[in-house]
Amino acid sequence: MAASHKSEAQSVWRLSGLRQEIHEPDQEVLDRAARQLGMDPDGLAFSRMAKRSVDARGRGADLHFVVQVDLGAKGPVRSKKFDRLKRSGKVREAPAVDGFGLDLPLGSGEPPHVVVVGAGPGGLFAALSAAESGARVTLLERGEPIERRGRKVVQFHRGGEPDPDNNLLFGDGGAGTYSDGKLYTRVSDRLERAVIDELIAAGAPADIAFDARAHIGTDKLHRMLPELRQRLMDAGVEFRYGVRVTGLVRAAGPGGSQGAARVVAVETTEGECPLDALVLCIGHSARDTWEQLIQQGVTL
């Protein structure tokens, strides 16, 4: 059943410990899960795979998947099967899913200007969160868009000189762009599903939403990044590539106190960029930027 009717669901229940044969279609598993809970598969608001992992512990050829399934109920669930499985712990309410909204002090004046530094996964989704919450967002990235970054990386692999700002580590998508887009570190964060849904909308395979050892693939990431960039631009994010942050500009606190100093702008290779809030998503390899921050008294 399509997941486009989520708004109809009054409750979402997660059933764990289901077995799926290697060649068994997902829909058959979803229908079987509904029947196991005493639900009519055709009467659900939606159903979806929540998690899938390979079980290879059995001897011989007993290779199969173990899955968790989310079922959206349109009303109260009343069945002895459901009550029994709930008491056993095999069925529970599915974790809540949050959107990207932030509680920003928008007031009645101009929206705050949020500057995000770094166009890796952290920076892209920080920018999306701020933009969808009503802020004016500028994203600064020292590298280049994937279209130009890819050419520089190919030249490097063929024996060319590395570009210090546009390479395997820096540029559109961050270092993960060339690490196969592995999503192995799955967490029970309420934002996880929202992030995954954005990646799928940009062109990632749908099964990354539930495969325990999911990966997107470098080739797909290169096609996805322009789509994700357009999604952010449509939300109001301004991208500025080829811009490296070189320092912070601070305003002294009351009475000239440096202890209460506030960052009001960043110094960049293209001049000062004023801001109301700064989000640093610069990655572990930006050692020059980390060193500059330490020299300016930032606690890391």
Side-chain angles (χ1 to χ4, degrees), residues 200-212:
I200 292 172
D207 57 12
I208 68 168
F210 49 84
D211 274 348

Side-chain angles (χ1 to χ4, degrees), residues 30-282:
L30 296 173
D31 292 347
R32 178 156 49 87
R35 291 191 293 269
Q36 191 168 334
L37 292 182
M39 298 178 176
D40 178 4
D42 293 326
L44 296 172
F46 73 92
S47 59
R48 68 185 176 209
M49 306 290 281
K51 186 176 181 181
R52 178 166 63 194
S53 56
V54 175
D55 189 341
R57 294 172 297 175
R59 295 183 177 181
D62 188 28
L63 186 69
H64 61 277
F65 296 115
V66 177
V67 301
Q68 296 179 358
V69 167
D70 286 348
L71 304 172
K74 293 182 179 180
V77 182
R78 297 186 178 94
S79 78
K80 292 181 179 179
K81 293 179 179 179
F82 176 83
D83 293 339
R84 184 174 64 252
L85 288 168
K86 190 176 180 183
R87 286 194 300 270
S88 72
K90 287 193 68 174
V91 64
R92 57 185 173 85
E93 285 195 69
V97 176
D98 278 350
F100 292 111
L102 301 171
D103 185 15
L104 297 179
L106 297 176
S108 58
E110 290 292 317
H113 182 207
V114 177
V115 171
V116 178
V117 183
L124 291 172
F125 283 102
L128 179 60
S129 298
E132 292 208 330
S133 302
R136 182 168 64 90
V137 182
T138 301
L139 194 154
L140 307 179
E141 167 57 48
R142 67 193 294 172
E144 296 293 342
I146 189 62
E147 295 87 346
R148 296 199 292 270
R149 181 187 183 191
R151 291 195 289 270
K152 284 292 184 74
V153 170
V154 169
Q155 291 171 9
F156 169 68
H157 281 311
R158 291 175 176 172
E161 290 292 320
D163 183 332
D165 291 322
N166 197 37
N167 47 53
L168 286 166
L169 299 174
F170 303 136
D172 220 0
T177 301
Y178 290 94
S179 66
D180 209 30
K182 291 181 283 290
L183 304 174
Y184 294 171
T185 307
R186 309 302 291 270
V187 295
S188 299
D189 192 287
R190 291 163 66 111
L191 276 174
E192 180 192 7
R193 184 75 200 196
V195 170
I196 292 296
D197 285 347
E198 288 289 346
L199 294 175
I200 292 172
D207 57 12
I208 68 168
F210 49 84
D211 274 348
R213 301 286 287 179
H215 77 281
I216 295 173
T218 295
D219 56 335
K220 293 186 179 70
L221 278 171
H222 287 206
R223 296 193 295 270
M224 287 169 54
L225 279 169
E227 296 292 332
L228 192 56
R229 183 197 313 146
Q230 189 61 53
R231 164 80 171 93
L232 269 68
M233 291 172 64
D234 291 343
V237 177
E238 176 193 1
F239 283 78
R240 292 174 58 186
Y241 289 101
V243 178
R244 182 163 48 85
V245 171
T246 57
L248 306 178
V249 179
R250 294 191 245 195
S257 168
Q258 288 300 312
R262 185 174 66 87
V263 176
V264 296
V266 285
E267 296 173 346
T268 78
T269 48
E270 291 188 350
E272 285 191 7
C273 181
L275 53 85
D276 296 300
L278 173 65
V279 184
L280 293 173
C281 301
I282 59 178

